[in-house]
Structure formats: structure tokens, C-alpha cells
């Protein structure tokens, strides 16, 4: 099976690539293209915006937690009913953790057979774009560098000089030139872009960005180029390990304070037969009638006062945790289950299930990929139904938090030992108490560590 698809990358981070990806997704959707969006890496926020723009969940493809074969099969699985795929890269085209580039955007593009459209921030640049592009072409001749988008162009004269240099010195097609525009931005904060769930004008902002992108780019030229470079999808051998758990009810916190979830992980929970009930720690007076809870990451510090004021929900959460029923909390969820949260000089009372305090810092405390080794206190691995699937192997995940934990008691149990990363204290992650695991690391459901299977098996065992 062949289809159209491309990887949108840039020469470096902060080149405006995400805004252009959003604009292209919506512009193509408005033209009737059924498009599947993807994001390289573990990021949560960019996929939220891209998913809104494409009107379809954006799936992460991450070399850290997934094998190359798993990436190829998942990509094909989510492309099975679409006309085109757009993969937004991260950082620069050749950047990555590996010095050899094996986890770079370029490596992903070559693995999936995707042509690359390169976004270049042209501020302060004219003729210099020619050696930049020829250098990128020469650096990896196996890469299908198909076209360039000029971004942050200051006017017609600037654009003319850029196009002239590209025409005279390269054979690179120019897809278009996006002018410097105040509306080609989304507000940022200490940890990245404002999330789409927090922006009440998200849909309108996406349409504005799409309008600018569509008027600036030759989308017909883009689709014609992609037709010349159609990609082959790998055979769809992708299979999920789905425990049969129909009838169980899982509460998932989702609002402006808690929004960091992988769409395909949530989809797998649904396909396993679990009945998901979303609730808002900000707005709701108490928990729904559920058998287990999942409280993901987000920005509880920005909503700490409102979270503190919702005493009925805090008491409901603390009572649920104290009942011994299964709870899994990541990062912001851990902060919510703590005793207090110190943000900008003010201390706010949280659920208090774990007798620790959280302090927000100006600089990141834990940032990047982590490697975890399960301890013998990891409650999921103690369930009788647990298959022991590679439980002794280390687990790859990621963390990104400005928060640190204070007042940790010596006798507290942990689910993980840190092989790489920071976690809660530089040596451990994942507080364990009764049926609750709460840590800073963000897990991704993969073949190496199918955490959803382990969690749902634990829920089943606890429910029986």
C-alpha cells in the first residue's frame, strides 16, 4: 500500500515548525484531505494542538521507548484509512540524543520512507540560505529532502532575495514563504506552549494560523511533490496485547490542570473494554463511581488555588486512595496527591495522601529521558495474573518537571529505582502506598513495557 506523507522538520528548535504544522493540518483538512498527524518524541503539548488542527488524535513516535519495528507498524496502523500522513519532527533535522543520529528526525524519515519538508527561520538571512540548504542536502545524501518552507520572512524584498539564492545555487523547491506575523504564535510558559485545553480560543487560533499558512504556501505544489514521492507502508502486523476487562470503570482526571495523556494509550484502554469516566479536579465536587483512577500530568501549579478550594474533591480523592483501590498518578498527579504545593511563594494544600511537600523551582529538576528498574515493591508486578512480561528489564520513559519533593520519609516504598534520570530523589521514583503508585516519570505503553496491561490486570485482581 502506498500513500502520500511527509516529515516536517527544521534546522533548529524554535523555528516556527509547530505553527506551520498546525496550519498545514487544518488547511489540508479544509481541502478535504483525510490526514493522520504524528509527532516525533514524547511531547504532550504539540500533539494536542496538531490534533485539534487535523481533527484527529496525533500519535507520538518515539525512538526512546519504541523499537524501529514498533514505530513502523504503529505508523502503518494509524495510516490505514487516510489519504496523507504528516509527522512533525522535534528540534533540528539531524538533532537527537545519539551522537550518531540514529534517533534523529532524519533517521525517522528514512526509516518510514518519508520525504522531508524543511522549515527555515529566515530572520536575518538572505544569500546564506543557499549554503545552508546545500549543506543539509550533502550531509546525508540518502535523505529525501524534498522542499523548503521559508519562515519569518520580513517582506517581499526579503523573500525575493531568498528565492533568488535558492534558485541560483540549489535545486530545492520552495513550497512558500510565511511572513513574520503576530498571530503565528501561541503563548508560552515555564514548560512550553500553553496547552490547547487552557486556551479558550484554541479553535479560532488554529483557523487564524491555517489562514496565514494557506495564503503563504503553495499547497497544490506540496501535494504534487508528495504524489511524486509516495511512501510504502509496512505490512500491518501491529497487534495490541489487550486484557479482557469489560465492565471495569476507570476515572481519568482531565481538565486545564491535568491533560497529559497519550491518545493511543487511552484508545487501548477503551479497546480493552474499560469504561472511562473523565472527571475534573477543578470543577467537579467529587469522583464518579469508578473502580480505579488515572491522574496524569499537567499544570496543577497554575491552578493550585482553585484545586485547594475544591475541598470536596480533595477529600474524595484522598478517601479513594485510602480505600486501597488502584490509582496511578504521573507528575502533576503526584503533585496533586501530595500534602502541599508551594508555587510562587504560596503554599497550597493538596489531597495529602502522601506525606510529602512539593516545591516549584525556576529551573527543571528532572528533564529528559529516564530509565527505570522495577523494585520488589512495585504492586502491579505482584498481582497473581501478572504474566512477568520482561518485568526484570529496565523501562524507558521520560520526565520534565520543575518540581522537587521535600519531607520524604525514610520508610516510604518505591516502584522504581532510577538507572538514568532524577525521579523523586535522584535514586527512586514512584511512591507506593496501598494500591497507589505516583511518580514523576511518564510511561508509554509499548511492547517492552505494556503498562496498561499491567495496570488493568492489577485493577482486575483488586476488583475480584
Amino acid at each position: 500500500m502506498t500513500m502520500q506523507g511527509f516529515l516536517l522538520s527544521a534546522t533548529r528548535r524554535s523555528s516556527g515548525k509547530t505553527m506551520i504544522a498546525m496550519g498545514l493540518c487544518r488547511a489540508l483538512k479544509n481541502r478535504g484531505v483525510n490526514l493522520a498527524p504524528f509527532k516525533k518524541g514524547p511531547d504532550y503539548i504539540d500533539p494536542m494542538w496538531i490534533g485539534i488542527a487535523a481533527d484527529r488524535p496525533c500519535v507520538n513516535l518515539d525512538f526512546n521507548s519504541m523499537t524501529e519495528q514498533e514505530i513502523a507498524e504503529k505508523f502503518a496502523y494509524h495510516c490505514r484509512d487516510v489519504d496523507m500522513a504528516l509527522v512533525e519532527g522535534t528540534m533540528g533535522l539531524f538533532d537527537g540524543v545519539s551522537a550518531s543520529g540514529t534517533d534523529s528526525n532524519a533517521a525517522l524519515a528514512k526509516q518510514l520512507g518519508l520525504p522531508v519538508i524543511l522549515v527555515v527561520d529566515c530572520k536575518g538571512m538572505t544569500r546564506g540560505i543557499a549554503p545552508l540548504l546545500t549543506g543539509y542536502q550533502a550531509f546525508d545524501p540518502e535523505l529525501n529532502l524534498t522542499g523548503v518552507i521559508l519562515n519569518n520572512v520580513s517582506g517581499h524584498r526579503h523573500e525575493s532575495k531568498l528565492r533568488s539564492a535558492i534558485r541560483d545555487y540549489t535545486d530545492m523547491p520552495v513550497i512558500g514563504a510565511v511572513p513574520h506575523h503576530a498571530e503565528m504564535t501561541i503563548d508560552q510558559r515555564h514548560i512550553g506552549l500553553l496547552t490547547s485545553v487552557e486556551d479558550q480560543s484554541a479553535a479560532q487560533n488554529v483557523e487564524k494560523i491555517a489562514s496565514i499558512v494557506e495564503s503563504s504556501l503553495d499547497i497544490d505544489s506540496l501535494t504534487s511533490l508528495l504524489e511524486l514521492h509516495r511512501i510504502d507502508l509496512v505490512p500491518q502486523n501491529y497487534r495490541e496485547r489487550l486484557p479482557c476487562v469489560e465492565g471495569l470503570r476507570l476515572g481519568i482526571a482531565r481538565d486545564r490542570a491535568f491533560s497529559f495523556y497519550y491518545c493511543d494509550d487511552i484508545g487501548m484502554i477503551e479497546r480493552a473494554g474499560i469504561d472511562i469516566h473523565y472527571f475534573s479536579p477543578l470543577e467537579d465536587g467529587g469522583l464518579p463511581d469508578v473502580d480505579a483512577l488515572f491522574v496524569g500530568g499537567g499544570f496543577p501549579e497554575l491552578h493550585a488555588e482553585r484545586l485547594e478550594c475544591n475541598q470536596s474533591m480533595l477529600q474524595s480523592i484522598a478517601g479513594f486512595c485510602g480505600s486501597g483501590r488502584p490509582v496511578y498518578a504521573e507528575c502533576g498527579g503526584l503533585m496533586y496527591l501530595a500534602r502541599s504545593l508551594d508555587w510562587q511563594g504560596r503554599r497550597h494544600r493538596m489531597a495529602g495522601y502522601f506525606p510529602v511537600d512539593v516545591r516549584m523551582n525556576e529551573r527543571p529538576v528532572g528533564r529528559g529521558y529516564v530509565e527505570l528498574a522495577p523494585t520488589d515493591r512495585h504492586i502491579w508486578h505482584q498481582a497473581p495474573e501478572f504474566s512477568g512480561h520482561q518485568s526484570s528489564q529496565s523501562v524507558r520513559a521520560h520526565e520534565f518537571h520543575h518540581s522537587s519533593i521535600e519531607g520524604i520519609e525514610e520508610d516510604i516504598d518505591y516502584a522504581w529505582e532510577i538507572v538514568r534520570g532524577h525521579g523523586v530523589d535522584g535514586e527512586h521514583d514512584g511512591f507506593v502506598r496501598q494500591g497507589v503508585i505516583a511518580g514523576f516519570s511518564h510511561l508509554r505503553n509499548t511492547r517492552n513495557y505494556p503498562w496498561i496491561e499491567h495496570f488493568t490486570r492489577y485493577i482486575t485482581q483488586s476488583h475480584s
Side-chain angles (χ1 to χ4, degrees), residues 364-395:
V365 175
R367 180 176 185 175
Y369 291 131
V370 300
E371 192 172 345
L372 311 169
T375 71
D376 59 4
R377 308 305 297 169
H378 197 308
I379 53 178
W380 298 351
H381 298 178
Q382 297 171 3
E385 294 86 351
F386 177 64
S387 63
H389 177 75
Q390 298 183 348
S391 61
S392 62
Q393 294 189 9
S394 61
V395 173

PDB file of all heavy atoms in Angstrom, residues 364-395:
ATOM      1  N   PRO A 364      14.317  23.393  35.617  1.00  0.00           N
ATOM      2  CA  PRO A 364      13.888  21.995  35.672  1.00  0.00           C
ATOM      3  C   PRO A 364      14.713  21.182  36.666  1.00  0.00           C
ATOM      4  O   PRO A 364      15.931  21.350  36.757  1.00  0.00           O
ATOM      5  CB  PRO A 364      14.109  21.497  34.240  1.00  0.00           C
ATOM      6  CG  PRO A 364      14.123  22.729  33.394  1.00  0.00           C
ATOM      7  CD  PRO A 364      14.713  23.803  34.249  1.00  0.00           C
ATOM      8  N   VAL A 365      14.047  20.305  37.375  1.00  0.00           N
ATOM      9  CA  VAL A 365      14.713  19.384  38.298  1.00  0.00           C
ATOM     10  C   VAL A 365      14.986  18.060  37.584  1.00  0.00           C
ATOM     11  O   VAL A 365      16.058  17.478  37.699  1.00  0.00           O
ATOM     12  CB  VAL A 365      13.854  19.153  39.559  1.00  0.00           C
ATOM     13  CG1 VAL A 365      14.485  18.108  40.462  1.00  0.00           C
ATOM     14  CG2 VAL A 365      13.669  20.465  40.314  1.00  0.00           C
ATOM     15  N   GLY A 366      14.003  17.582  36.860  1.00  0.00           N
ATOM     16  CA  GLY A 366      14.154  16.384  36.041  1.00  0.00           C
ATOM     17  C   GLY A 366      13.713  16.699  34.628  1.00  0.00           C
ATOM     18  O   GLY A 366      12.604  17.188  34.411  1.00  0.00           O
ATOM     19  N   ARG A 367      14.579  16.415  33.662  1.00  0.00           N
ATOM     20  CA  ARG A 367      14.253  16.786  32.280  1.00  0.00           C
ATOM     21  C   ARG A 367      14.908  15.813  31.317  1.00  0.00           C
ATOM     22  O   ARG A 367      16.135  15.679  31.309  1.00  0.00           O
ATOM     23  CB  ARG A 367      14.736  18.210  31.989  1.00  0.00           C
ATOM     24  CG  ARG A 367      14.447  18.687  30.572  1.00  0.00           C
ATOM     25  CD  ARG A 367      14.878  20.129  30.401  1.00  0.00           C
ATOM     26  NE  ARG A 367      14.507  20.653  29.098  1.00  0.00           N
ATOM     27  CZ  ARG A 367      14.672  21.921  28.725  1.00  0.00           C
ATOM     28  NH1 ARG A 367      15.213  22.780  29.561  1.00  0.00           N
ATOM     29  NH2 ARG A 367      14.301  22.321  27.525  1.00  0.00           N
ATOM     30  N   GLY A 368      14.098  15.120  30.541  1.00  0.00           N
ATOM     31  CA  GLY A 368      14.637  14.243  29.509  1.00  0.00           C
ATOM     32  C   GLY A 368      14.221  12.803  29.708  1.00  0.00           C
ATOM     33  O   GLY A 368      13.311  12.475  30.471  1.00  0.00           O
ATOM     34  N   TYR A 369      14.922  11.918  28.995  1.00  0.00           N
ATOM     35  CA  TYR A 369      14.611  10.501  29.063  1.00  0.00           C
ATOM     36  C   TYR A 369      15.104   9.902  30.370  1.00  0.00           C
ATOM     37  O   TYR A 369      16.149  10.293  30.896  1.00  0.00           O
ATOM     38  CB  TYR A 369      15.247   9.765  27.880  1.00  0.00           C
ATOM     39  CG  TYR A 369      14.612  10.096  26.552  1.00  0.00           C
ATOM     40  CD1 TYR A 369      15.389  10.438  25.451  1.00  0.00           C
ATOM     41  CD2 TYR A 369      13.231  10.057  26.396  1.00  0.00           C
ATOM     42  CE1 TYR A 369      14.808  10.725  24.219  1.00  0.00           C
ATOM     43  CE2 TYR A 369      12.644  10.335  25.184  1.00  0.00           C
ATOM     44  CZ  TYR A 369      13.430  10.673  24.098  1.00  0.00           C
ATOM     45  OH  TYR A 369      12.838  10.955  22.884  1.00  0.00           O
ATOM     46  N   VAL A 370      14.323   8.951  30.881  1.00  0.00           N
ATOM     47  CA  VAL A 370      14.695   8.238  32.097  1.00  0.00           C
ATOM     48  C   VAL A 370      14.704   6.743  31.815  1.00  0.00           C
ATOM     49  O   VAL A 370      14.067   6.261  30.878  1.00  0.00           O
ATOM     50  CB  VAL A 370      13.735   8.543  33.270  1.00  0.00           C
ATOM     51  CG1 VAL A 370      13.741  10.022  33.598  1.00  0.00           C
ATOM     52  CG2 VAL A 370      12.320   8.078  32.962  1.00  0.00           C
ATOM     53  N   GLU A 371      15.438   6.034  32.649  1.00  0.00           N
ATOM     54  CA  GLU A 371      15.453   4.577  32.604  1.00  0.00           C
ATOM     55  C   GLU A 371      15.175   4.067  34.007  1.00  0.00           C
ATOM     56  O   GLU A 371      15.822   4.498  34.970  1.00  0.00           O
ATOM     57  CB  GLU A 371      16.803   4.073  32.085  1.00  0.00           C
ATOM     58  CG  GLU A 371      16.809   2.599  31.746  1.00  0.00           C
ATOM     59  CD  GLU A 371      18.097   2.166  31.064  1.00  0.00           C
ATOM     60  OE1 GLU A 371      18.860   3.053  30.604  1.00  0.00           O
ATOM     61  OE2 GLU A 371      18.351   0.948  30.991  1.00  0.00           O
ATOM     62  N   LEU A 372      14.208   3.169  34.119  1.00  0.00           N
ATOM     63  CA  LEU A 372      13.710   2.727  35.415  1.00  0.00           C
ATOM     64  C   LEU A 372      13.880   1.224  35.570  1.00  0.00           C
ATOM     65  O   LEU A 372      13.696   0.472  34.609  1.00  0.00           O
ATOM     66  CB  LEU A 372      12.218   3.071  35.561  1.00  0.00           C
ATOM     67  CG  LEU A 372      11.800   4.502  35.224  1.00  0.00           C
ATOM     68  CD1 LEU A 372      10.280   4.605  35.147  1.00  0.00           C
ATOM     69  CD2 LEU A 372      12.347   5.476  36.261  1.00  0.00           C
ATOM     70  N   ALA A 373      14.185   0.808  36.785  1.00  0.00           N
ATOM     71  CA  ALA A 373      14.243  -0.618  37.110  1.00  0.00           C
ATOM     72  C   ALA A 373      13.196  -0.896  38.181  1.00  0.00           C
ATOM     73  O   ALA A 373      13.198  -0.246  39.232  1.00  0.00           O
ATOM     74  CB  ALA A 373      15.628  -0.995  37.610  1.00  0.00           C
ATOM     75  N   PRO A 374      12.262  -1.837  37.950  1.00  0.00           N
ATOM     76  CA  PRO A 374      11.215  -2.088  38.939  1.00  0.00           C
ATOM     77  C   PRO A 374      11.789  -2.676  40.226  1.00  0.00           C
ATOM     78  O   PRO A 374      12.713  -3.491  40.200  1.00  0.00           O
ATOM     79  CB  PRO A 374      10.296  -3.089  38.230  1.00  0.00           C
ATOM     80  CG  PRO A 374      11.148  -3.734  37.192  1.00  0.00           C
ATOM     81  CD  PRO A 374      12.138  -2.701  36.768  1.00  0.00           C
ATOM     82  N   THR A 375      11.227  -2.259  41.358  1.00  0.00           N
ATOM     83  CA  THR A 375      11.610  -2.813  42.650  1.00  0.00           C
ATOM     84  C   THR A 375      10.660  -3.946  43.029  1.00  0.00           C
ATOM     85  O   THR A 375       9.624  -4.158  42.374  1.00  0.00           O
ATOM     86  CB  THR A 375      11.553  -1.737  43.744  1.00  0.00           C
ATOM     87  OG1 THR A 375      10.176  -1.415  44.008  1.00  0.00           O
ATOM     88  CG2 THR A 375      12.292  -0.472  43.313  1.00  0.00           C
ATOM     89  N   ASP A 376      10.966  -4.639  44.102  1.00  0.00           N
ATOM     90  CA  ASP A 376      10.076  -5.704  44.558  1.00  0.00           C
ATOM     91  C   ASP A 376       8.840  -5.158  45.266  1.00  0.00           C
ATOM     92  O   ASP A 376       7.975  -5.924  45.688  1.00  0.00           O
ATOM     93  CB  ASP A 376      10.822  -6.683  45.467  1.00  0.00           C
ATOM     94  CG  ASP A 376      11.410  -6.011  46.709  1.00  0.00           C
ATOM     95  OD1 ASP A 376      11.179  -4.804  46.911  1.00  0.00           O
ATOM     96  OD2 ASP A 376      12.103  -6.712  47.477  1.00  0.00           O
ATOM     97  N   ARG A 377       8.731  -3.823  45.390  1.00  0.00           N
ATOM     98  CA  ARG A 377       7.567  -3.195  45.994  1.00  0.00           C
ATOM     99  C   ARG A 377       6.580  -2.704  44.948  1.00  0.00           C
ATOM    100  O   ARG A 377       5.550  -2.111  45.282  1.00  0.00           O
ATOM    101  CB  ARG A 377       7.987  -2.005  46.880  1.00  0.00           C
ATOM    102  CG  ARG A 377       9.048  -2.327  47.912  1.00  0.00           C
ATOM    103  CD  ARG A 377       8.637  -3.495  48.804  1.00  0.00           C
ATOM    104  NE  ARG A 377       7.442  -3.175  49.583  1.00  0.00           N
ATOM    105  CZ  ARG A 377       6.741  -4.048  50.274  1.00  0.00           C
ATOM    106  NH1 ARG A 377       7.106  -5.326  50.260  1.00  0.00           N
ATOM    107  NH2 ARG A 377       5.689  -3.665  50.962  1.00  0.00           N
ATOM    108  N   HIS A 378       6.891  -2.943  43.679  1.00  0.00           N
ATOM    109  CA  HIS A 378       6.008  -2.490  42.596  1.00  0.00           C
ATOM    110  C   HIS A 378       4.741  -3.346  42.617  1.00  0.00           C
ATOM    111  O   HIS A 378       4.767  -4.531  42.281  1.00  0.00           O
ATOM    112  CB  HIS A 378       6.725  -2.620  41.252  1.00  0.00           C
ATOM    113  CG  HIS A 378       6.104  -1.828  40.147  1.00  0.00           C
ATOM    114  ND1 HIS A 378       4.764  -1.915  39.826  1.00  0.00           N
ATOM    115  CD2 HIS A 378       6.637  -0.921  39.284  1.00  0.00           C
ATOM    116  CE1 HIS A 378       4.495  -1.101  38.821  1.00  0.00           C
ATOM    117  NE2 HIS A 378       5.619  -0.488  38.471  1.00  0.00           N
ATOM    118  N   ILE A 379       3.630  -2.759  43.010  1.00  0.00           N
ATOM    119  CA  ILE A 379       2.405  -3.527  43.272  1.00  0.00           C
ATOM    120  C   ILE A 379       1.811  -4.152  42.021  1.00  0.00           C
ATOM    121  O   ILE A 379       1.175  -5.204  42.102  1.00  0.00           O
ATOM    122  CB  ILE A 379       1.346  -2.658  43.989  1.00  0.00           C
ATOM    123  CG1 ILE A 379       1.090  -1.363  43.210  1.00  0.00           C
ATOM    124  CG2 ILE A 379       1.778  -2.363  45.415  1.00  0.00           C
ATOM    125  CD1 ILE A 379       0.023  -0.474  43.833  1.00  0.00           C
ATOM    126  N   TRP A 380       2.005  -3.547  40.843  1.00  0.00           N
ATOM    127  CA  TRP A 380       1.451  -4.151  39.629  1.00  0.00           C
ATOM    128  C   TRP A 380       2.082  -5.506  39.369  1.00  0.00           C
ATOM    129  O   TRP A 380       1.439  -6.412  38.859  1.00  0.00           O
ATOM    130  CB  TRP A 380       1.669  -3.262  38.422  1.00  0.00           C
ATOM    131  CG  TRP A 380       1.009  -1.919  38.488  1.00  0.00           C
ATOM    132  CD1 TRP A 380       0.106  -1.480  39.416  1.00  0.00           C
ATOM    133  CD2 TRP A 380       1.222  -0.834  37.595  1.00  0.00           C
ATOM    134  NE1 TRP A 380      -0.255  -0.186  39.153  1.00  0.00           N
ATOM    135  CE2 TRP A 380       0.411   0.234  38.036  1.00  0.00           C
ATOM    136  CE3 TRP A 380       2.010  -0.655  36.467  1.00  0.00           C
ATOM    137  CZ2 TRP A 380       0.381   1.474  37.375  1.00  0.00           C
ATOM    138  CZ3 TRP A 380       1.987   0.560  35.810  1.00  0.00           C
ATOM    139  CH2 TRP A 380       1.166   1.613  36.259  1.00  0.00           C
ATOM    140  N   HIS A 381       3.359  -5.636  39.691  1.00  0.00           N
ATOM    141  CA  HIS A 381       4.090  -6.855  39.393  1.00  0.00           C
ATOM    142  C   HIS A 381       3.853  -7.949  40.425  1.00  0.00           C
ATOM    143  O   HIS A 381       4.372  -9.049  40.280  1.00  0.00           O
ATOM    144  CB  HIS A 381       5.594  -6.563  39.302  1.00  0.00           C
ATOM    145  CG  HIS A 381       5.934  -5.596  38.207  1.00  0.00           C
ATOM    146  ND1 HIS A 381       7.216  -5.157  37.981  1.00  0.00           N
ATOM    147  CD2 HIS A 381       5.160  -4.984  37.274  1.00  0.00           C
ATOM    148  CE1 HIS A 381       7.222  -4.311  36.954  1.00  0.00           C
ATOM    149  NE2 HIS A 381       5.992  -4.193  36.510  1.00  0.00           N
ATOM    150  N   GLN A 382       3.074  -7.639  41.452  1.00  0.00           N
ATOM    151  CA  GLN A 382       2.772  -8.632  42.470  1.00  0.00           C
ATOM    152  C   GLN A 382       1.419  -9.300  42.243  1.00  0.00           C
ATOM    153  O   GLN A 382       1.080 -10.245  42.946  1.00  0.00           O
ATOM    154  CB  GLN A 382       2.784  -7.968  43.861  1.00  0.00           C
ATOM    155  CG  GLN A 382       4.151  -7.415  44.252  1.00  0.00           C
ATOM    156  CD  GLN A 382       4.097  -6.578  45.507  1.00  0.00           C
ATOM    157  OE1 GLN A 382       3.052  -6.438  46.129  1.00  0.00           O
ATOM    158  NE2 GLN A 382       5.234  -6.011  45.889  1.00  0.00           N
ATOM    159  N   ALA A 383       0.643  -8.801  41.283  1.00  0.00           N
ATOM    160  CA  ALA A 383      -0.672  -9.375  41.026  1.00  0.00           C
ATOM    161  C   ALA A 383      -0.530 -10.813  40.533  1.00  0.00           C
ATOM    162  O   ALA A 383       0.351 -11.117  39.719  1.00  0.00           O
ATOM    163  CB  ALA A 383      -1.422  -8.545  39.983  1.00  0.00           C
ATOM    164  N   PRO A 384      -1.365 -11.748  41.009  1.00  0.00           N
ATOM    165  CA  PRO A 384      -1.271 -13.149  40.574  1.00  0.00           C
ATOM    166  C   PRO A 384      -1.388 -13.317  39.068  1.00  0.00           C
ATOM    167  O   PRO A 384      -0.781 -14.216  38.498  1.00  0.00           O
ATOM    168  CB  PRO A 384      -2.444 -13.811  41.300  1.00  0.00           C
ATOM    169  CG  PRO A 384      -2.711 -12.940  42.480  1.00  0.00           C
ATOM    170  CD  PRO A 384      -2.404 -11.545  42.027  1.00  0.00           C
ATOM    171  N   GLU A 385      -2.192 -12.471  38.438  1.00  0.00           N
ATOM    172  CA  GLU A 385      -2.403 -12.601  36.999  1.00  0.00           C
ATOM    173  C   GLU A 385      -1.250 -12.033  36.173  1.00  0.00           C
ATOM    174  O   GLU A 385      -1.225 -12.174  34.958  1.00  0.00           O
ATOM    175  CB  GLU A 385      -3.697 -11.884  36.584  1.00  0.00           C
ATOM    176  CG  GLU A 385      -4.958 -12.512  37.145  1.00  0.00           C
ATOM    177  CD  GLU A 385      -5.298 -11.993  38.528  1.00  0.00           C
ATOM    178  OE1 GLU A 385      -4.456 -11.272  39.105  1.00  0.00           O
ATOM    179  OE2 GLU A 385      -6.387 -12.320  39.025  1.00  0.00           O
ATOM    180  N   PHE A 386      -0.313 -11.338  36.848  1.00  0.00           N
ATOM    181  CA  PHE A 386       0.772 -10.700  36.107  1.00  0.00           C
ATOM    182  C   PHE A 386       1.615 -11.760  35.409  1.00  0.00           C
ATOM    183  O   PHE A 386       2.054 -12.722  36.008  1.00  0.00           O
ATOM    184  CB  PHE A 386       1.637  -9.880  37.051  1.00  0.00           C
ATOM    185  CG  PHE A 386       2.831  -9.246  36.384  1.00  0.00           C
ATOM    186  CD1 PHE A 386       2.654  -8.293  35.406  1.00  0.00           C
ATOM    187  CD2 PHE A 386       4.112  -9.625  36.717  1.00  0.00           C
ATOM    188  CE1 PHE A 386       3.744  -7.722  34.790  1.00  0.00           C
ATOM    189  CE2 PHE A 386       5.206  -9.055  36.105  1.00  0.00           C
ATOM    190  CZ  PHE A 386       5.022  -8.098  35.136  1.00  0.00           C
ATOM    191  N   SER A 387       1.817 -11.550  34.129  1.00  0.00           N
ATOM    192  CA  SER A 387       2.479 -12.570  33.300  1.00  0.00           C
ATOM    193  C   SER A 387       3.989 -12.574  33.447  1.00  0.00           C
ATOM    194  O   SER A 387       4.656 -13.453  32.937  1.00  0.00           O
ATOM    195  CB  SER A 387       2.110 -12.341  31.824  1.00  0.00           C
ATOM    196  OG  SER A 387       2.603 -11.076  31.396  1.00  0.00           O
ATOM    197  N   GLY A 388       4.551 -11.542  34.090  1.00  0.00           N
ATOM    198  CA  GLY A 388       6.000 -11.449  34.207  1.00  0.00           C
ATOM    199  C   GLY A 388       6.660 -10.995  32.929  1.00  0.00           C
ATOM    200  O   GLY A 388       7.853 -11.170  32.739  1.00  0.00           O
ATOM    201  N   HIS A 389       5.902 -10.362  32.060  1.00  0.00           N
ATOM    202  CA  HIS A 389       6.407  -9.959  30.740  1.00  0.00           C
ATOM    203  C   HIS A 389       7.567  -8.980  30.883  1.00  0.00           C
ATOM    204  O   HIS A 389       7.387  -7.801  31.139  1.00  0.00           O
ATOM    205  CB  HIS A 389       5.275  -9.314  29.946  1.00  0.00           C
ATOM    206  CG  HIS A 389       5.701  -8.802  28.602  1.00  0.00           C
ATOM    207  ND1 HIS A 389       5.938  -9.622  27.531  1.00  0.00           N
ATOM    208  CD2 HIS A 389       5.938  -7.538  28.163  1.00  0.00           C
ATOM    209  CE1 HIS A 389       6.291  -8.900  26.482  1.00  0.00           C
ATOM    210  NE2 HIS A 389       6.306  -7.633  26.848  1.00  0.00           N
ATOM    211  N   GLN A 390       8.775  -9.500  30.756  1.00  0.00           N
ATOM    212  CA  GLN A 390      10.001  -8.689  30.761  1.00  0.00           C
ATOM    213  C   GLN A 390      10.065  -7.776  31.980  1.00  0.00           C
ATOM    214  O   GLN A 390      10.613  -6.675  31.918  1.00  0.00           O
ATOM    215  CB  GLN A 390      10.091  -7.843  29.482  1.00  0.00           C
ATOM    216  CG  GLN A 390      10.160  -8.681  28.214  1.00  0.00           C
ATOM    217  CD  GLN A 390      10.317  -7.841  26.967  1.00  0.00           C
ATOM    218  OE1 GLN A 390      10.159  -6.631  26.988  1.00  0.00           O
ATOM    219  NE2 GLN A 390      10.629  -8.481  25.875  1.00  0.00           N
ATOM    220  N   SER A 391       9.527  -8.215  33.113  1.00  0.00           N
ATOM    221  CA  SER A 391       9.462  -7.341  34.276  1.00  0.00           C
ATOM    222  C   SER A 391      10.837  -7.030  34.848  1.00  0.00           C
ATOM    223  O   SER A 391      11.014  -6.059  35.565  1.00  0.00           O
ATOM    224  CB  SER A 391       8.587  -7.982  35.364  1.00  0.00           C
ATOM    225  OG  SER A 391       9.140  -9.222  35.780  1.00  0.00           O
ATOM    226  N   SER A 392      11.819  -7.882  34.544  1.00  0.00           N
ATOM    227  CA  SER A 392      13.154  -7.655  35.083  1.00  0.00           C
ATOM    228  C   SER A 392      13.945  -6.664  34.252  1.00  0.00           C
ATOM    229  O   SER A 392      15.000  -6.195  34.682  1.00  0.00           O
ATOM    230  CB  SER A 392      13.908  -8.990  35.164  1.00  0.00           C
ATOM    231  OG  SER A 392      14.074  -9.546  33.861  1.00  0.00           O
ATOM    232  N   GLN A 393      13.478  -6.335  33.067  1.00  0.00           N
ATOM    233  CA  GLN A 393      14.200  -5.411  32.211  1.00  0.00           C
ATOM    234  C   GLN A 393      13.913  -3.971  32.620  1.00  0.00           C
ATOM    235  O   GLN A 393      12.880  -3.663  33.200  1.00  0.00           O
ATOM    236  CB  GLN A 393      13.807  -5.611  30.747  1.00  0.00           C
ATOM    237  CG  GLN A 393      14.242  -6.960  30.184  1.00  0.00           C
ATOM    238  CD  GLN A 393      14.024  -7.043  28.687  1.00  0.00           C
ATOM    239  OE1 GLN A 393      13.713  -6.049  28.042  1.00  0.00           O
ATOM    240  NE2 GLN A 393      14.192  -8.225  28.140  1.00  0.00           N
ATOM    241  N   SER A 394      14.852  -3.083  32.290  1.00  0.00           N
ATOM    242  CA  SER A 394      14.638  -1.674  32.584  1.00  0.00           C
ATOM    243  C   SER A 394      13.578  -1.104  31.652  1.00  0.00           C
ATOM    244  O   SER A 394      13.361  -1.590  30.545  1.00  0.00           O
ATOM    245  CB  SER A 394      15.951  -0.897  32.444  1.00  0.00           C
ATOM    246  OG  SER A 394      16.447  -0.987  31.123  1.00  0.00           O
ATOM    247  N   VAL A 395      12.929  -0.072  32.121  1.00  0.00           N
ATOM    248  CA  VAL A 395      11.828   0.564  31.401  1.00  0.00           C
ATOM    249  C   VAL A 395      12.252   1.971  31.010  1.00  0.00           C
ATOM    250  O   VAL A 395      12.761   2.728  31.845  1.00  0.00           O
ATOM    251  CB  VAL A 395      10.563   0.609  32.288  1.00  0.00           C
ATOM    252  CG1 VAL A 395       9.461   1.413  31.609  1.00  0.00           C
ATOM    253  CG2 VAL A 395      10.094  -0.803  32.597  1.00  0.00           C
TER     254      VAL A 395
END
